[in-house]
Structures are given as structure tokens and as C-alpha cells.
Amino acid sequence: MSCDPAERRRTPLAEKLAERIRRTGPITVAQFVEACLHDAEHGYYRAHAGIGRDFVTAPEISQMFGELVGLWCSVVWRQMGSPDPVHLIEVGPGRGTMMRDMLNAVRLVPDFVSALRIRLVETSGPLRTQQQSLLRDASVPVTWHDTLAEPAPCASIVVANEFLDALPARQYVRTMARWAERAVSIDVQGQLQFACGAPPDAGVSEALAMRFPGAREHDIAEVGDLSLLDWLVAQAQQHTTVALVIDYGHERSTLGDTLQAVRQHRYEHPLCSPGEADLTMHVDFERLAHHLTRSSHLTCAGPVTQADFLGALGLIERTSRLMAANPAKALEIETAAQRLLAPGGMGTRFKVIGARSRQLPPLPGLSVGHMPPSA
Ligand code: SAH
């Protein structure tokens, strides 16, 4: 995928970043992604966030996705000993669709509903407004938070769908003799371009050497943001904690540049339309699992594929029931379910990983077994 000069769009953010680089020098890829997504004036999630217009997520494809996640939470809550209150925390809730469908499904479990305190962690003003409107009739208290910084004062269940892929990861390029952070600079015409930046500190270089002993010149390694996991680890020291993370990525740590831009349902070069395309990076589930299990308070299950997880939770049975109850929409309902389960598509590209306080029994739907190592 190229970004030839004809395709490059001189977006206001492209101009702003070029000016910043002219003044203070190249920025890291992580700083570039951070600006593209969150720049106060022109960031994608501040000004353009287009779930549905640019890309579509599982909860937006079918109500059954959120319903099953909601029922999963109610079962897990029982396994936790029915704590009251319990915080149900969603990070990166998008339009609020998944939480709306989760709450619809758990109406059947009134003691869970009365224990629930919902926290939504969202940085995007426009998406927060959409969440507020979708959840205005929720019969449980909902509060909004900019970050996960505050600890929850009680037991909590955390859910995250397509959140980690939206966090800027750092990229490192292997040169002949060492690693260098991948950066964004400007060419002679003032256009953004990828460049090799400064070497990372010794700790990062060592960690990269251990993770990727066979790295060759020009290989790219990515180091994702694990602050959500650090929060879970700290939280689990105080209170019973469960987390469910669904995202796309690889089950084994691999080298490669996974930064991608999507605008109006089409992939484009990440430097083409700064601020106007959604930028994401794949999640490294092996690193996630490794980080979580370093905590003596947490244990981790999965990753399993989204198809295995939703299958274990009864998506197929639920689809048949919903089709029978809505014959006029049967085809639409079936197509949506197929999309969520598609082999080679969402069903396998998306993975699910769970974490739980060690004293809890295994989490439902995640004991399908580890996926076979990739070839
Ligand atoms: N979970 C939703 C939306 C996924 S898009 C769905 O499945 O439809 C990513 C979401 O994460 C958006 O709501 C975006 O605004 C939010 N987000 C991105 N970076 C964030 C950050 N640093 N803190 C909190 N939310 C963030």
C-alpha cells in the first residue's frame, strides 16, 4: 500500500505535524499515532470518530455480541460470589452499543442489575455524547471517566472490545547493529515520511533482543501500551477482579509493521490522511498473557478465537431463536452471526483473553484450549 504524493491529503493535522517536526525534529511513531487519534483540535477521536462510517465493530454488527458478553458477566459475577456493589467497567465503549446490549440481556438477572455500577472510560467527546444518549434510559448508575487512573473501590469486571488496538504502540526498526525507534520526519517537500529515530534505552534493547533473537536488518518490532494490564494487576491486589479483552492480533509475538489506517471502510497508508483515518495496531496476545501472569494475584485464560468464544457462549442457538422470533429479519440476523464467526475473518482474526483473580474458578468460554502455535 503506497502513499504516493497524489493520494496524500494535506489535512490540517498533517500541516500541524509537519510544522511541529520542522520546529522540534522527528516524532516517534507512537507520538504520531497519539496525535492522529487524540490531537485536541484535529484528532480522529476528537473530531471525526466514525464508527460505522469508517469501520465497523462486532457490537455494531449484531446485538447478540453485547448480549452474550453481558450474560457472560452475570455468570462471572456469580462465580465471584455475587459482590454488591460490583463495578462493570468498559474501556473504549465506542457508541455505547455493547453496553446497551449487555444491559438489555442482564435484565433477566435482577440481583446482578441492582449490584451494578457502570463506569465508562472514554476520551472522545463526540463518542461520549453518543454513549450518553444510548444509555440515557439505563436503570443503573453510569459514570464517565477520562482514564482508568482511579482504582475501583470494590470488585470489578472490566470489558474491552477493540480498545487495545487503538492505543499507540512504539515501533523499533532493526538496523545492522542495533534497534532504533521508528519515527516520522518530513521530506524536502515538507511531506511526512517514516524515518529511523534514536536508539531506545538499554532496558528496551535488551527486552527486544530477548523477544526477537532472530531479528534481521529492517525488521520492525512493536511494543504495545500495557497500562490497562498494569491497572488490572494493581486492582487485583485489593479486590476480586475479572477482565475480558477482545481484539485482533496475533497469538504469538511476531515481528512486522501492523500500523494500519482505515477510512470509509478502505485501508490506506497511515501517513495519507492524518486525523481523518482510524489508526490501529495489532495486539500481541502472547505478550499480554505473559504480562498478566507475572502477577501473583491474577491468572489468565486464552487467547481463544472469537468464533470459539461466541460458539461456547451459545451464539448459534441464540441466532436460531432470534431468527424464529423475527422471521422478517431472519436473513439479516443470520448474516450478522456468520460475520462474527467467519473463519479467516472476524471469527479467527479476533481473539479473546480473560484474566481473573486467582481464587476464582475458570472463566466460561475461555477453556476451549490454547490455539495451536502459528506455523
Ligand atoms: N469498543 C467499541 C469501540 C472501539 S473503537 C466497539 O467495539 O464498538 C475504540 C474506542 O476506544 C473508542 O471509543 C475510542 O474513543 C476509545 N479510546 C481510544 N483511546 C482511548 C484512551 N486512551 N482512553 C480511553 N478510550 C480510548
Side-chain angles (χ1 to χ4, degrees):
M1 200 185 334
S2 66
C3 184
D4 67 47
E7 279 179 57
R8 275 185 224 181
R9 303 168 61 246
R10 285 211 170 255
T11 63
L13 186 59
E15 302 286 347
K16 186 170 172 177
L17 288 173
E19 180 50 35
R20 172 174 165 190
I21 292 166
R22 220 170 272 124
R23 264 188 296 120
T24 56
I27 56 176
T28 66
V29 164
Q31 288 170 325
F32 170 75
V33 174
E34 176 71 29
C36 287
L37 298 182
H38 302 294
D39 179 82
E41 291 169 283
H42 310 298
Y44 181 75
Y45 283 117
R46 300 295 168 113
H48 297 280
I51 301 177
R53 186 196 60 220
D54 293 318
F55 63 97
V56 71
T57 59
E60 302 291 338
I61 289 175
S62 168
Q63 68 186 67
M64 291 185 288
F65 185 85
E67 289 169 353
L68 288 173
V69 172
L71 293 171
W72 184 91
C73 289
S74 70
V75 171
V76 164
W77 176 71
R78 287 253 183 271
Q79 294 181 334
M80 294 164 90
S82 310
D84 184 354
V86 63
H87 278 196
L88 175 57
I89 303 169
E90 184 178 359
V91 284
R95 299 211 287 206
T97 309
M98 182 165 97
M99 186 53 77
R100 179 201 60 193
D101 296 337
M102 288 170 72
L103 292 176
N104 268 340
V106 301
R107 277 185 310 182
L108 301 171
V109 194
D111 51 344
F112 180 44
V113 174
S114 72
L116 274 177
R117 309 286 180 272
I118 310 287
R119 284 184 169 204
L120 298 181
V121 180
E122 177 59 72
T123 42
S124 161
L127 287 177
R128 218 182 245 218
T129 307
Q130 293 185 36
Q131 293 153 18
Q132 279 158 349
S133 122
L134 217 54
L135 296 171
R136 66 181 174 271
D137 299 327
S139 53
V140 293
V142 184
T143 54
W144 274 265
H145 305 262
D146 287 331
T147 66
L148 255 185
E150 280 166 65
C154 58
S156 60
I157 304 174
V158 180
V159 291
N161 185 59
E162 287 210 50
F163 169 71
L164 289 183
D165 67 58
L167 300 183
R170 304 183 82 141
Q171 288 189 328
Y172 298 94
V173 191
R174 182 73 201 180
T175 63
M176 282 285 274
R178 56 181 170 84
W179 291 98
E181 183 145 14
R182 197 172 186 220
V184 175
S185 66
I186 45 176
D187 63 16
V188 281
Q189 277 122 34
Q191 301 269 25
L192 299 172
Q193 62 177 8
F194 286 116
C196 242
D201 63 36
V204 173
S205 290
E206 258 167 51
L208 289 172
M210 276 173 59
R211 239 172 108 206
F212 303 112
R216 290 191 299 219
E217 195 179 355
H218 305 306
D219 277 344
I220 292 181
E222 294 179 340
V223 178
D225 177 337
L226 297 183
S227 48
L228 170 64
L229 308 199
D230 292 336
W231 185 90
L232 289 171
V233 167
Q235 186 65 26
Q237 286 171 12
Q238 306 289 328
H239 302 283
T240 312
T241 305
V242 167
L244 183 71
V245 173
I246 308 170
D247 225 308
Y248 57 90
H250 29 268
E251 70 269 24
R252 299 272 176 265
S253 294
T254 43
L255 287 160
D257 171 18
T258 72
L259 176 60
Q260 66 184 32
V262 173
R263 194 166 59 90
Q264 295 168 359
H265 297 282
R266 286 219 300 270
Y267 289 107
E268 59 175 38
H269 190 285
L271 300 179
C272 269
S273 340
E276 296 180 11
D278 183 41
L279 293 186
T280 56
M281 283 157 124
H282 287 198
V283 172
D284 176 349
F285 281 92
E286 182 177 356
R287 187 163 166 260
L288 231 67
H290 186 249
H291 199 76
L292 281 170
T293 42
R294 281 199 314 201
S295 154
S296 57
H297 298 276
L298 282 173
T299 184
C300 153
V304 299
T305 63
Q306 173 168 296
D308 280 344
F309 179 70
L310 295 177
L313 265 51
L315 179 70
I316 293 167
E317 297 77 1
R318 207 172 174 83
T319 305
S320 309
R321 281 207 304 276
L322 202 60
M323 286 166 70
N326 302 277
K329 291 195 163 175
L331 184 61
E332 199 182 304
I333 294 165
E334 190 183 15
T335 309
Q338 278 169 354
R339 218 170 146 192
L340 294 179
L341 299 174
M346 282 191 110
T348 54
R349 285 180 40 217
F350 280 74
K351 321 273 181 327
V352 186
I353 200 169
R356 66 177 200 272
S357 291
R358 273 192 191 271
Q359 76 275 14
L360 297 176
L363 298 171
L366 292 167
S367 49
V368 187
H370 286 264
M371 284 176 294
S374 43

